[in-house]
Amino acid sequence: MRRVTALRVFKPNGDPLHRIVELGGRYAKISLMRKTVYAFVGLALVCSILLLNSFYAPTVTTYFATSGRSPLTEHPVHQLVANAESEFEARQKKQSKDLAEAVKEYKKRYQTCPPPHFDKWYAFAKERETQLLDEFNGIYHSLLPFWGLEPSVIRERTRQVLGLKDNYFLGVSIRDSQLHTTGKGQGWHQVNETVYRGFQADGILEMIANFAKWLPDMDLVFNSHDEPRVLVPHEDLEILLEKARKTIRSVQPMNNDFSTSPADMGSGGSYPEVDLSHQLSWSHTRLSCPPSSPARNSTSSATDDVDAFSTHTLGFITNTTAFSDICLSPSLSSTFDRLNSYHVSLDPVPVFSPSKLSSFHDILYPSAYYYTELVHYGEETGVPWDEKYSRLYWRGSTSSGFAQDGSWSNMLRQSVAIKLNPTYSTDPVHILQKMDAFNHPSTATWSSHEVPATEFADRFDVQFTEIKNCEQADCNAVLNILIENCEECSHFAVPTGYEPG
């Protein structure tokens, strides 16, 4: 019997999306890192196709039909893959070839000197075959607002955050190159008298340990939630950034070492954080967006700026940066309005988080959950490519956010699961088909067509394995659908108070 253990989208029968399947075979013999990258790209393309097909298809299709663009002779997925490969290879070729070039490029891009011991970092990165040695844009923009604060203010706010009781922060202190942790990070637990610090602390210490000897004494704050915590209002942010740009350009070349530890290094204090758990979050989330952006429009008629991120029919994403910018998409106010946890600071605090929305000001770091390989793929146990089912397979829990007052159907995972399963939804879908491909293969064009969702029922196998993060009524609503339509859901632990609908 064949098993479903990996993604294979469609059979090689001329389907429009067969190009994604070809990626699996074409890159079967390349390195594990490259395979991981291409698998992620393929999955990202599939997700964008599915999501935009459901949410944006009517608007984008109409726009494309009236925009006067040339007909599509090549499928958008082919174009996107080719463009992504070309852009990556071009960027890779431009990377610095040695330390001197890397220092020169850093000064050119960021108008300041690289940090002390940059030479040690460069050797560290080269040893690990890092491909993009000059790309610090994410780090630069995350840290830039803090250049607008006095160092003593940053240290004081850090101490306050770490001193707050039940703050859901993990503290990591460096003293004389030695690492110490405080607080309860993800995975922390206690059995009798034995305390286990958890995977987050273990992963972060493992990340830092190899080069801690090159770092100064400092206190670092790591978010114990998946959701971001720092949200600086737009007007305050602009003031900070104006000062920060002046400060960073004034930095003089150093002697490749950090300054001595300040006298106020320590711990203690408290930080008055606002507790907004499970409350509506959109009004705060958009505070850092520009006043002229769609997200700051106070009327209910504000629409997403689709043209900023999609110029293809059916909403294929052409600008991922714009697509991830929530300031351009006020429709997200109903899709992501209640997070599982929502404890935010409106003041700039240097908090490291594993994820964030575009409007938040947390500092991103690699998730310790994946760094410690709690989720491990064993290639030796994989199913041969030719034995995989030709469908998209997904299992997961309802962890997109906290559902209450009937909001469960707007949550991302629940919404996608319903749209991909015609048993749940009978809405038609839009697909691209190549017209007259048999008689005129070289000039045939792709065009959008509306078809019944049932025609693609065998292409998707999407189900939930756990119902959580919801009030009783919303949990019941999801369970009613699943129990009625899911043959493998008999193992579900039904929440207390569940009543069949």
Side-chain angles (χ1 to χ4, degrees):
M1 179 180 293
R2 297 188 299 177
R3 294 174 289 170
V4 183
T5 59
L7 174 66
R8 187 184 183 192
V9 184
F10 296 115
K11 297 178 181 178
N13 59 359
D15 280 301
L17 299 184
H18 177 53
R19 166 65 167 163
I20 297 178
V21 178
E22 294 176 346
L23 286 176
R26 177 180 174 187
Y27 298 104
K29 297 182 180 180
I30 58 182
S31 68
L32 177 60
M33 179 184 295
R34 196 80 179 260
K35 284 195 292 186
T36 302
V37 171
Y38 278 101
F40 179 80
V41 170
L43 182 58
L45 282 170
V46 172
C47 291
S48 68
I49 292 164
L50 300 180
L51 287 173
L52 270 298
N53 185 48
S54 299
F55 296 122
Y56 290 110
T59 301
V60 178
T61 301
T62 302
Y63 170 78
F64 183 86
T66 60
S67 63
R69 287 189 174 88
S70 300
L72 284 174
T73 57
E74 185 178 12
H75 195 280
V77 169
H78 295 193
Q79 295 176 340
L80 292 170
V81 170
N83 291 344
E85 290 177 342
S86 177
E87 291 173 5
F88 177 78
E89 291 173 0
R91 177 172 295 187
Q92 192 176 34
K93 289 179 181 178
K94 293 180 179 179
Q95 299 301 299
S96 298
K97 303 301 187 294
D98 54 40
L99 176 60
E101 283 189 20
V103 171
K104 183 179 179 180
E105 183 65 20
Y106 191 100
K107 291 180 178 179
K108 176 183 176 182
R109 291 192 185 193
Y110 306 110
Q111 301 297 301
T112 191
C113 301
H117 303 307
F118 185 72
D119 55 333
K120 306 300 182 184
W121 173 87
Y122 184 85
F124 185 84
K126 291 290 287 186
E127 180 183 347
R128 284 154 181 78
E129 299 182 354
T130 301
Q131 299 298 303
L132 303 177
L133 292 165
D134 296 326
E135 310 303 324
F136 298 96
N137 286 1
I139 298 175
Y140 172 81
H141 289 293
S142 290
L143 298 180
L144 183 58
F146 298 100
W147 283 90
L149 297 173
E150 293 294 330
S152 59
V153 174
I154 297 176
R155 293 193 297 271
E156 174 63 21
R157 290 182 179 176
T158 299
R159 287 194 296 269
Q160 290 174 344
V161 167
L162 293 178
L164 182 63
K165 183 180 180 181
D166 297 328
N167 57 14
Y168 301 100
F169 286 117
L170 170 70
V172 176
S173 300
I174 303 176
R175 298 293 187 273
D176 296 324
S177 302
Q178 299 300 308
L179 301 174
H180 308 276
T181 63
T182 59
K184 301 177 181 179
Q186 292 178 327
W188 183 97
H189 62 286
Q190 183 173 352
V191 179
N192 297 325
E193 300 299 320
T194 304
V195 174
Y196 298 88
R197 62 191 179 192
F199 69 84
Q200 185 182 25
D202 289 342
I204 291 171
L205 293 181
E206 184 180 346
M207 292 181 205
I208 301 175
N210 287 333
F211 56 87
K213 61 183 177 181
W214 306 114
L215 297 176
D217 289 353
M218 58 181 172
D219 297 317
L220 303 173
V221 183
F222 290 86
N223 182 9
S224 296
H225 291 315
D226 291 331
E227 294 81 3
R229 307 285 292 273
V230 183
L231 184 63
V232 183
H234 179 78
E235 292 76 6
D236 297 341
L237 181 64
E238 286 299 301
I239 295 173
L240 273 178
L241 291 177
E242 182 179 359
K243 181 179 180 181
R245 294 186 182 99
K246 294 178 180 178
T247 302
I248 202 169
R249 286 195 295 267
S250 67
V251 174
Q252 300 298 315
M254 300 180 177
N255 59 357
N256 202 29
D257 204 354
F258 291 100
S259 57
T260 57
S261 297
D264 64 351
M265 290 294 293
S267 62
S270 61
Y271 189 74
E273 195 175 27
V274 180
D275 185 352
L276 295 172
S277 298
H278 298 164
Q279 300 301 307
L280 296 176
S281 57
W282 179 252
S283 59
H284 294 91
T285 302
R286 64 182 184 152
L287 280 178
S288 67
C289 293
S292 60
S293 65
R296 289 289 292 271
N297 190 320
S298 59
T299 67
S300 59
S301 60
T303 58
D304 296 353
D305 186 4
V306 177
D307 295 349
F309 51 77
S310 176
T311 57
H312 277 296
T313 185
L314 296 192
F316 292 105
I317 304 304
T318 55
N319 187 324
T320 55
T321 302
F323 184 58
S324 63
D325 185 354
I326 70 162
C327 297
L328 300 176
S329 299
S331 67
L332 297 177
S333 62
S334 61
T335 307
F336 304 100
D337 202 30
R338 287 184 174 90
L339 305 178
N340 290 324
S341 175
Y342 193 56
H343 300 79
V344 300
S345 168
L346 300 184
D347 290 318
V349 181
V351 174
F352 289 83
S353 294
S355 63
K356 69 174 182 178
L357 297 171
S358 62
S359 61
F360 278 72
H361 301 96
D362 302 55
I363 304 166
L364 289 179
Y365 79 100
S367 171
Y369 187 84
Y370 300 103
Y371 194 86
T372 53
E373 296 187 347
L374 290 179
V375 179
H376 176 70
Y377 171 69
E379 191 169 3
E380 67 282 356
T381 63
V383 175
W385 185 261
D386 291 338
E387 296 181 16
K388 299 176 193 282
Y389 282 119
S390 298
R391 65 182 62 156
L392 186 147
Y393 174 87
W394 182 86
R395 294 293 184 274
S397 63
T398 57
S399 57
S400 299
F402 191 86
Q404 66 184 65
D405 300 330
S407 65
W408 68 270
S409 61
N410 291 330
M411 299 295 172
L412 178 62
R413 292 188 176 188
Q414 291 91 313
S415 178
V416 172
I418 289 175
K419 292 179 183 297
L420 292 184
N421 194 324
T423 304
Y424 304 160
S425 173
T426 58
D427 293 338
V429 298
H430 291 79
I431 67 169
L432 287 180
Q433 290 182 328
K434 202 166 190 177
M435 307 306 296
D436 204 20
F438 181 79
N439 296 321
H440 303 90
S442 61
T443 59
T445 60
W446 296 94
S447 60
S448 174
H449 294 269
E450 188 177 277
V451 298
T454 52
E455 288 192 13
F456 296 93
D458 61 340
R459 304 286 179 96
F460 306 102
D461 187 356
V462 176
Q463 295 290 351
F464 289 109
T465 57
E466 183 182 5
I467 307 301
K468 62 180 183 179
N469 300 339
C470 47
E471 287 188 343
Q472 196 63 60
D474 286 69
C475 289
N476 291 348
V478 179
L479 282 165
N480 275 329
I481 291 179
L482 289 171
I483 292 175
E484 180 181 351
N485 298 296
C486 177
E487 295 180 358
E488 47 183 273
C489 296
S490 58
H491 65 281
F492 275 14
V494 179
T496 303
Y498 168 69
E499 298 179 0

